[in-house]
Amino acid sequence: MLNAAALLLALLCAANAAAAADLADKLRDDSELSQSTAKSLRRLMPVRFYSLLESNQIANSTLSLRSCTIFVPTNEAFQRYKSKTTHVLYHITTEAYTQKRLPNTVSSDMAGNPPLYITKNSNGDIFVNNARIIPSLSVETNSDGKRQIMHIIDEVLEPLTVKAGHSDTPNNPNALKFLKNAEEFNVDNIGVRTYRSQVTMAKKESVYDAAGQHTFLVPVDEGFKLSARSSLVDGKVIDGHVIPNTVIFTAAAQHDDPKASAAFEDLLKVTVSFFKQKNGKMYVKSNTIVGDAKHRVGVVLAEIVKANIPVSNGVVHLIHRPLMIIDTTVTQFLQSFKFMNENAENGALRKFYEVIMDNGGAVLDDINSLTEVTILAPSNEAWNSSNINNVLRDRNKIRQILNMHIIKDRLNVDKIRQKNANLIAQVPTVNNNTFLYFNVRGEGADTVITVEGGGVNATVIQADVAQTNGYVHIIDHVLGVPYTTVLGKLESDPMMSDTYKMGKFSHFNDQLNNTQRRFTYFVPRDKGWQKTELDYPSAHKKLFMADFSYHSKSILERHLAISDKEYTMKDLVKFSQESGSVILPTFRDSLSIRVEEEAGRYVIIWNYKKINVYRPDVECTNGIIHVIDYPLLEEKDVVVAGGSYLPESSICIILANLIMITVAKFLN
């Protein structure tokens, strides 16, 4: 009988010579696969798996006598693989499948024939369980009636195996048998007794026993530390932990792509989705879209503590807490991070909690005193910015910044959307005279929510994490710690887009990235420019025409003070009280204004006009922006009457014609 090495060599050599040569070249040049030194097969197969095949008699027999498909992990995959045992036969199926012909499941050659699940992501990548098939590295041959195909994959396939001493436990269990005997399988000694007993009490075993291909989410015992939590696990909650008729392994999971759970019906609608943080941690969340008396609307977030456990009717993921159950206050939710470290489960907001406690913990007491509260919680990655480290040393400043993330209201996405119906939603924080500005774009899964506070635009990366007294929204930046220049802020803030466009075509914006200057920029918000269309329709139209860029630039210069320091609204109020008015240096001249504070809001008086300050003190790395309700504009600023003004393009045409006439006369 030929051994595995000889047969695989024959398989590869019998393939189309040109194709085989191309593949050999690719693999020879691939750092992941080039550790092998033999001239033929060892250029095509990773060393580790090749040696395992040689030593497995059943694999040798299959390769000698039968058609088959073999899934071969790369050398790098073996370097990442933590288990001491590699199950070679779990990588072989006794049918030959090209990538295009792979069905949803194939039976492996391992004892009990546990299935391998074939899925695709939105990019068209093909996965075998949690391993991606590398598209260009497949080889096929057909010799003596045996069609054999090799696919290179980027992970070692790991079956569900039984612990030593439990020989009576089935090798290929379904989800129910796994749940009933979880302690007898190699799953890192993670217990699921509490959830198992609730499934039994609710008589929901059939959900986990169902034939087909499903995704099962099983909370571990650690998630039931709160004494009353297990009693909240009823039949509907159990249904919410199952995604029927869909197998989702984490590597192939679409980010934040909601799937209907088994608890998706007329009177209760619960979806489940997966998402990954930048540090690689995988989370799953339930979103109760339509709730009832027992099941509240909102998102519940759980970290996956043991992923991708294949069973005969799908895949199981062990999660750190049950989904759908909203039984903690915002304070309790944040306190759940108390003992978290860098690698701990449920660490999505660990750094936010640490900053609160490093500041003395008083912020947590303030949150606890609120009957309704919404927290905008920066993710762990948001705290890694270098400009935040300096702020963390200033206890007073960081207290103000933390307060900027707290809202005295129960504010979910629907409520934000209602506030945002006709304008950008302005919401007060617990920080005195500080507001946040929400903007909602898109619908459904395409919804994007941004929030601005203290000069920082942040995107909500996880909304509506529900608590008994409010919501937590996870955001991607720390508010109040600016990281962009004045130009960067203009470019990214949806409220200032008209001013940005006007400054761009007039080249006024070119100076705003200069970090050697300090700018105080009074920026009219878009609605302010829209008001000028009603007041001065002719002037408004021309301001946004390239032919009138000189006028646009002159008007914008009036709004920009350039100095060796920036001026906050409090500074300007103080100067106004002392001197009656404030004269600020601009590019060509100066700007004379008076600033008053009325009922906690600021008002600018310019040329006998009162202009409200909509957003004061938007900090930037090279200055400050004050968003105002109306531009510093009068109708006489752009006057075109009786053809007395010629646009630049017309002047250019006339000059070109004069030059041509002059040249023609000279040549004659």
Side-chain angles (χ1 to χ4, degrees), residues 599-620:
R601 298 295 184 95
Y602 297 104
V603 177
I604 295 173
I605 300 169
W606 173 78
N607 279 7
Y608 307 103
K609 293 181 179 180
K610 280 192 171 184
I611 299 172
N612 292 321
V613 178
Y614 187 74
R615 283 164 58 190
D617 302 335
V618 178
E619 295 182 48
C620 305

Side-chain angles (χ1 to χ4, degrees), residues 580-633:
S581 63
V582 183
I583 299 176
L584 300 174
T586 63
F587 184 75
R588 296 181 188 276
D589 198 357
S590 61
L591 172 65
S592 178
I593 58 174
R594 176 176 176 81
V595 180
E596 298 177 350
E597 188 173 0
E598 299 178 357
R601 298 295 184 95
Y602 297 104
V603 177
I604 295 173
I605 300 169
W606 173 78
N607 279 7
Y608 307 103
K609 293 181 179 180
K610 280 192 171 184
I611 299 172
N612 292 321
V613 178
Y614 187 74
R615 283 164 58 190
D617 302 335
V618 178
E619 295 182 48
C620 305
T621 56
N622 61 342
I624 197 165
I625 291 174
H626 305 297
V627 182
I628 57 179
D629 262 347
Y630 198 86
L632 309 177
L633 177 70

